[in-house]
Short mmCIF file of all heavy atoms in Angstrom, two decimals:
data_model
loop_
_atom_site.label_atom_id
_atom_site.label_comp_id
_atom_site.label_asym_id
_atom_site.label_seq_id
_atom_site.Cartn_x
_atom_site.Cartn_y
_atom_site.Cartn_z
N ARG A 1 99.14 107.42 -112.54
CA ARG A 1 98.17 107.54 -111.44
C ARG A 1 98.70 106.91 -110.18
O ARG A 1 97.95 106.55 -109.27
CB ARG A 1 96.85 106.79 -111.82
CG ARG A 1 96.27 107.20 -113.16
CD ARG A 1 95.82 108.67 -113.17
NE ARG A 1 94.72 108.89 -112.28
CZ ARG A 1 94.19 110.10 -112.05
NH1 ARG A 1 94.64 111.16 -112.71
NH2 ARG A 1 93.20 110.26 -111.23
N GLN A 2 100.01 106.84 -110.03
CA GLN A 2 100.60 106.14 -108.88
C GLN A 2 100.28 106.84 -107.55
O GLN A 2 99.89 106.19 -106.58
CB GLN A 2 102.12 106.01 -109.06
CG GLN A 2 102.74 105.01 -108.13
CD GLN A 2 104.24 104.93 -108.32
OE1 GLN A 2 104.88 105.94 -108.52
NE2 GLN A 2 104.80 103.75 -108.18
N ASP A 3 100.47 108.14 -107.51
CA ASP A 3 100.20 108.84 -106.22
C ASP A 3 98.72 108.74 -105.87
O ASP A 3 98.40 108.59 -104.68
CB ASP A 3 100.59 110.30 -106.36
CG ASP A 3 100.64 110.99 -105.01
OD1 ASP A 3 101.52 110.71 -104.21
OD2 ASP A 3 99.70 111.81 -104.78
N GLN A 4 97.84 108.83 -106.85
CA GLN A 4 96.38 108.71 -106.57
C GLN A 4 96.05 107.36 -105.99
O GLN A 4 95.26 107.25 -105.05
CB GLN A 4 95.58 108.96 -107.82
CG GLN A 4 95.61 110.40 -108.34
CD GLN A 4 96.80 110.69 -109.25
OE1 GLN A 4 97.77 109.94 -109.28
NE2 GLN A 4 96.71 111.79 -109.96
N LEU A 5 96.68 106.29 -106.55
CA LEU A 5 96.39 104.96 -106.05
C LEU A 5 96.92 104.73 -104.65
O LEU A 5 96.27 104.18 -103.79
CB LEU A 5 96.90 103.90 -107.02
CG LEU A 5 96.61 102.46 -106.56
CD1 LEU A 5 95.11 102.20 -106.38
CD2 LEU A 5 97.19 101.45 -107.55
N ILE A 6 98.17 105.12 -104.42
CA ILE A 6 98.72 104.84 -103.08
C ILE A 6 97.97 105.61 -102.00
O ILE A 6 97.74 105.06 -100.90
CB ILE A 6 100.23 105.15 -103.03
CG1 ILE A 6 100.86 104.46 -101.80
CG2 ILE A 6 100.54 106.66 -103.01
CD1 ILE A 6 102.38 104.46 -101.84
N GLN A 7 97.49 106.83 -102.29
CA GLN A 7 96.73 107.56 -101.31
C GLN A 7 95.39 106.89 -101.07
O GLN A 7 94.88 106.86 -99.94
CB GLN A 7 96.59 109.03 -101.77
CG GLN A 7 96.06 109.94 -100.66
CD GLN A 7 96.97 110.00 -99.45
OE1 GLN A 7 98.17 109.96 -99.59
NE2 GLN A 7 96.39 110.10 -98.26
N THR A 8 94.80 106.39 -102.14
CA THR A 8 93.51 105.72 -102.01
C THR A 8 93.67 104.43 -101.18
O THR A 8 92.81 104.12 -100.32
CB THR A 8 92.94 105.33 -103.41
OG1 THR A 8 92.73 106.54 -104.17
CG2 THR A 8 91.64 104.55 -103.29
N LEU A 9 94.72 103.70 -101.41
CA LEU A 9 94.98 102.47 -100.62
C LEU A 9 95.25 102.79 -99.16
O LEU A 9 94.77 102.09 -98.26
CB LEU A 9 96.14 101.70 -101.25
CG LEU A 9 95.86 101.09 -102.62
CD1 LEU A 9 97.17 100.55 -103.18
CD2 LEU A 9 94.84 99.97 -102.54
N TYR A 10 96.04 103.84 -98.89
CA TYR A 10 96.29 104.24 -97.53
C TYR A 10 95.00 104.58 -96.80
O TYR A 10 94.75 104.07 -95.71
CB TYR A 10 97.19 105.47 -97.51
CG TYR A 10 98.69 105.22 -97.60
CD1 TYR A 10 99.50 106.12 -98.29
CD2 TYR A 10 99.28 104.11 -97.02
CE1 TYR A 10 100.87 105.91 -98.38
CE2 TYR A 10 100.63 103.91 -97.09
CZ TYR A 10 101.43 104.80 -97.79
OH TYR A 10 102.78 104.57 -97.91
N ARG A 11 94.17 105.40 -97.45
CA ARG A 11 92.92 105.77 -96.81
C ARG A 11 92.05 104.58 -96.54
O ARG A 11 91.44 104.46 -95.44
CB ARG A 11 92.19 106.80 -97.74
CG ARG A 11 90.96 107.41 -97.06
CD ARG A 11 89.96 107.92 -98.07
NE ARG A 11 89.37 106.79 -98.78
CZ ARG A 11 89.37 106.67 -100.11
NH1 ARG A 11 89.96 107.59 -100.84
NH2 ARG A 11 88.81 105.62 -100.70
N ALA A 12 91.96 103.67 -97.53
CA ALA A 12 91.12 102.46 -97.33
C ALA A 12 91.63 101.61 -96.18
O ALA A 12 90.85 101.09 -95.42
CB ALA A 12 91.06 101.71 -98.66
N ASN A 13 92.95 101.47 -96.11
CA ASN A 13 93.50 100.59 -95.06
C ASN A 13 93.43 101.21 -93.66
O ASN A 13 93.13 100.50 -92.72
CB ASN A 13 94.94 100.23 -95.41
CG ASN A 13 95.55 99.26 -94.43
OD1 ASN A 13 94.89 98.29 -94.03
ND2 ASN A 13 96.80 99.46 -94.03
N PHE A 14 93.72 102.48 -93.56
CA PHE A 14 93.83 103.08 -92.23
C PHE A 14 92.60 103.83 -91.76
O PHE A 14 92.45 104.01 -90.55
CB PHE A 14 95.05 104.04 -92.22
CG PHE A 14 96.35 103.34 -92.33
CD1 PHE A 14 97.14 103.47 -93.47
CD2 PHE A 14 96.82 102.54 -91.30
CE1 PHE A 14 98.34 102.80 -93.59
CE2 PHE A 14 98.05 101.88 -91.44
CZ PHE A 14 98.79 102.00 -92.54
N ALA A 15 91.72 104.20 -92.67
CA ALA A 15 90.63 105.06 -92.23
C ALA A 15 89.26 104.45 -92.41
O ALA A 15 88.30 104.89 -91.75
CB ALA A 15 90.72 106.41 -92.98
N GLU A 16 89.10 103.47 -93.31
CA GLU A 16 87.79 102.94 -93.64
C GLU A 16 87.52 101.64 -92.89
O GLU A 16 88.44 100.92 -92.57
CB GLU A 16 87.65 102.77 -95.16
CG GLU A 16 87.74 104.04 -95.91
CD GLU A 16 87.54 103.86 -97.40
OE1 GLU A 16 87.36 102.71 -97.83
OE2 GLU A 16 87.56 104.85 -98.16
N GLU A 17 86.25 101.37 -92.69
CA GLU A 17 85.87 100.13 -91.98
C GLU A 17 86.04 98.90 -92.86
O GLU A 17 86.43 97.82 -92.35
CB GLU A 17 84.43 100.24 -91.50
CG GLU A 17 84.21 101.25 -90.36
CD GLU A 17 82.83 101.15 -89.78
OE1 GLU A 17 82.13 100.18 -90.05
OE2 GLU A 17 82.46 102.07 -89.05
N ARG A 18 85.83 98.99 -94.13
CA ARG A 18 85.95 97.83 -95.00
C ARG A 18 87.43 97.45 -95.14
O ARG A 18 88.32 98.31 -95.26
CB ARG A 18 85.39 98.13 -96.40
CG ARG A 18 83.86 98.31 -96.43
CD ARG A 18 83.41 98.67 -97.82
NE ARG A 18 83.75 97.59 -98.77
CZ ARG A 18 83.64 97.73 -100.10
NH1 ARG A 18 83.31 98.92 -100.62
NH2 ARG A 18 83.92 96.73 -100.89
N SER A 19 87.66 96.17 -95.15
CA SER A 19 89.04 95.64 -95.22
C SER A 19 89.56 95.68 -96.65
O SER A 19 88.79 95.47 -97.63
CB SER A 19 89.11 94.24 -94.69
OG SER A 19 90.39 93.66 -94.88
N VAL A 20 90.85 95.92 -96.80
CA VAL A 20 91.50 95.81 -98.13
C VAL A 20 92.08 94.40 -98.29
O VAL A 20 92.62 94.09 -99.35
CB VAL A 20 92.62 96.85 -98.31
CG1 VAL A 20 92.03 98.25 -98.30
CG2 VAL A 20 93.71 96.70 -97.25
N PHE A 21 91.93 93.55 -97.30
CA PHE A 21 92.55 92.22 -97.31
C PHE A 21 91.56 91.06 -97.41
O PHE A 21 91.94 90.01 -97.87
CB PHE A 21 93.40 92.01 -96.03
CG PHE A 21 94.49 93.01 -95.85
CD1 PHE A 21 94.42 93.99 -94.87
CD2 PHE A 21 95.61 92.96 -96.68
CE1 PHE A 21 95.43 94.93 -94.69
CE2 PHE A 21 96.64 93.91 -96.51
CZ PHE A 21 96.57 94.87 -95.52
N THR A 22 90.33 91.22 -96.98
CA THR A 22 89.40 90.10 -96.83
C THR A 22 88.31 90.04 -97.89
O THR A 22 87.58 89.04 -97.95
CB THR A 22 88.75 90.08 -95.44
OG1 THR A 22 87.98 91.29 -95.30
CG2 THR A 22 89.80 90.02 -94.35
N GLU A 23 88.18 91.04 -98.74
CA GLU A 23 87.06 91.08 -99.69
C GLU A 23 87.47 90.61 -101.09
O GLU A 23 86.70 90.79 -102.05
CB GLU A 23 86.45 92.48 -99.72
CG GLU A 23 85.80 92.87 -98.44
CD GLU A 23 84.98 94.14 -98.57
OE1 GLU A 23 84.57 94.47 -99.71
OE2 GLU A 23 84.78 94.82 -97.56
N GLY A 24 88.68 90.11 -101.26
CA GLY A 24 89.09 89.59 -102.57
C GLY A 24 89.54 90.66 -103.53
O GLY A 24 89.62 91.87 -103.21
N ASP A 25 89.82 90.23 -104.76
CA ASP A 25 90.36 91.13 -105.75
C ASP A 25 89.45 92.26 -106.11
O ASP A 25 89.92 93.35 -106.46
CB ASP A 25 90.73 90.33 -107.05
CG ASP A 25 91.92 89.41 -106.85
OD1 ASP A 25 92.59 89.55 -105.81
OD2 ASP A 25 92.19 88.61 -107.72
N GLU A 26 88.11 92.03 -106.06
CA GLU A 26 87.19 93.09 -106.51
C GLU A 26 87.28 94.32 -105.63
O GLU A 26 87.01 95.42 -106.07
CB GLU A 26 85.77 92.56 -106.54
CG GLU A 26 85.46 91.74 -107.80
CD GLU A 26 85.80 92.52 -109.08
OE1 GLU A 26 85.27 93.62 -109.26
OE2 GLU A 26 86.56 92.00 -109.88
N ARG A 27 87.66 94.13 -104.35
CA ARG A 27 87.83 95.32 -103.50
C ARG A 27 89.02 96.15 -104.01
O ARG A 27 88.92 97.39 -104.09
CB ARG A 27 88.12 94.84 -102.08
CG ARG A 27 88.55 95.97 -101.08
CD ARG A 27 87.45 97.00 -100.89
NE ARG A 27 87.73 97.88 -99.77
CZ ARG A 27 87.38 99.14 -99.69
NH1 ARG A 27 86.69 99.69 -100.70
NH2 ARG A 27 87.66 99.88 -98.63
N LEU A 28 90.11 95.50 -104.42
CA LEU A 28 91.25 96.22 -104.96
C LEU A 28 90.91 96.86 -106.31
O LEU A 28 91.39 97.95 -106.62
CB LEU A 28 92.46 95.30 -105.08
CG LEU A 28 93.02 94.75 -103.75
CD1 LEU A 28 94.27 93.93 -104.04
CD2 LEU A 28 93.34 95.88 -102.79
N VAL A 29 90.13 96.14 -107.12
CA VAL A 29 89.69 96.74 -108.41
C VAL A 29 88.85 97.97 -108.19
O VAL A 29 89.02 99.01 -108.88
CB VAL A 29 88.87 95.68 -109.21
CG1 VAL A 29 88.24 96.35 -110.43
CG2 VAL A 29 89.77 94.54 -109.63
N GLU A 30 88.01 97.92 -107.20
CA GLU A 30 87.16 99.09 -106.82
C GLU A 30 88.05 100.29 -106.47
O GLU A 30 87.78 101.40 -106.91
CB GLU A 30 86.26 98.72 -105.70
CG GLU A 30 85.42 99.87 -105.13
CD GLU A 30 84.68 99.46 -103.84
OE1 GLU A 30 84.20 98.31 -103.78
OE2 GLU A 30 84.59 100.29 -102.94
N LEU A 31 89.05 100.03 -105.67
CA LEU A 31 89.93 101.12 -105.22
C LEU A 31 90.80 101.61 -106.38
O LEU A 31 91.04 102.82 -106.51
CB LEU A 31 90.82 100.63 -104.04
CG LEU A 31 90.08 100.32 -102.78
CD1 LEU A 31 90.98 99.64 -101.76
CD2 LEU A 31 89.46 101.61 -102.16
N ALA A 32 91.25 100.70 -107.22
CA ALA A 32 92.03 101.09 -108.39
C ALA A 32 91.20 102.00 -109.33
O ALA A 32 91.70 103.02 -109.84
CB ALA A 32 92.53 99.90 -109.17
N THR A 33 89.95 101.63 -109.50
CA THR A 33 89.06 102.44 -110.35
C THR A 33 88.85 103.80 -109.73
O THR A 33 88.80 104.82 -110.45
CB THR A 33 87.70 101.70 -110.54
OG1 THR A 33 87.97 100.43 -111.10
CG2 THR A 33 86.82 102.50 -111.48
N GLU A 34 88.68 103.85 -108.43
CA GLU A 34 88.51 105.12 -107.72
C GLU A 34 89.70 106.02 -107.95
O GLU A 34 89.60 107.24 -108.02
CB GLU A 34 88.30 104.88 -106.24
CG GLU A 34 88.03 106.10 -105.41
CD GLU A 34 87.81 105.79 -103.94
OE1 GLU A 34 87.39 104.65 -103.64
OE2 GLU A 34 88.10 106.68 -103.11
N ALA A 35 90.88 105.44 -108.09
CA ALA A 35 92.10 106.21 -108.28
C ALA A 35 92.34 106.55 -109.76
O ALA A 35 93.36 107.18 -110.09
CB ALA A 35 93.30 105.44 -107.77
N GLY A 36 91.41 106.15 -110.65
CA GLY A 36 91.51 106.53 -112.03
C GLY A 36 92.05 105.48 -112.97
O GLY A 36 92.28 105.75 -114.13
N LEU A 37 92.26 104.21 -112.47
CA LEU A 37 92.76 103.15 -113.32
C LEU A 37 91.59 102.46 -114.00
O LEU A 37 90.45 102.50 -113.55
CB LEU A 37 93.57 102.14 -112.53
CG LEU A 37 95.03 102.44 -112.30
CD1 LEU A 37 95.23 103.63 -111.38
CD2 LEU A 37 95.75 101.21 -111.74
N ASP A 38 91.86 101.80 -115.13
CA ASP A 38 90.86 101.04 -115.83
C ASP A 38 90.58 99.75 -115.05
O ASP A 38 91.52 99.01 -114.67
CB ASP A 38 91.36 100.71 -117.25
CG ASP A 38 90.38 99.82 -118.01
OD1 ASP A 38 89.32 100.35 -118.39
OD2 ASP A 38 90.68 98.65 -118.15
N ALA A 39 89.32 99.46 -114.80
CA ALA A 39 88.96 98.30 -114.02
C ALA A 39 89.43 96.99 -114.64
O ALA A 39 89.95 96.10 -113.95
CB ALA A 39 87.45 98.25 -113.81
N GLU A 40 89.26 96.84 -115.95
CA GLU A 40 89.67 95.60 -116.59
C GLU A 40 91.17 95.40 -116.56
O GLU A 40 91.68 94.28 -116.43
CB GLU A 40 89.14 95.55 -118.01
CG GLU A 40 87.64 95.31 -118.08
CD GLU A 40 87.18 94.06 -117.29
OE1 GLU A 40 87.86 93.01 -117.46
OE2 GLU A 40 86.23 94.18 -116.54
#
């Protein structure tokens, strides 16, 4: 799921208002799950 995750991270960093840096690990878990990874 590497391509799915990198595209999700790009979109979150460059296009969305929410930060990928200031909301802690749960923000990254949320994005990882969106890309198809297991949250745990």
Side-chain angles (χ1 to χ4, degrees):
R1 308 294 296 178
Q2 195 183 35
D3 191 72
Q4 290 86 344
L5 179 58
I6 198 168
Q7 192 61 35
T8 299
L9 292 170
Y10 277 145
R11 189 204 66 236
N13 185 41
F14 292 110
E16 296 182 0
E17 290 189 13
R18 292 178 62 191
S19 173
V20 297
F21 301 108
T22 62
E23 295 190 24
D25 289 350
E26 280 306 303
R27 172 63 168 149
L28 296 184
V29 171
E30 174 188 323
L31 294 170
T33 304
E34 184 179 333
L37 275 68
D38 178 73
E40 286 308 313

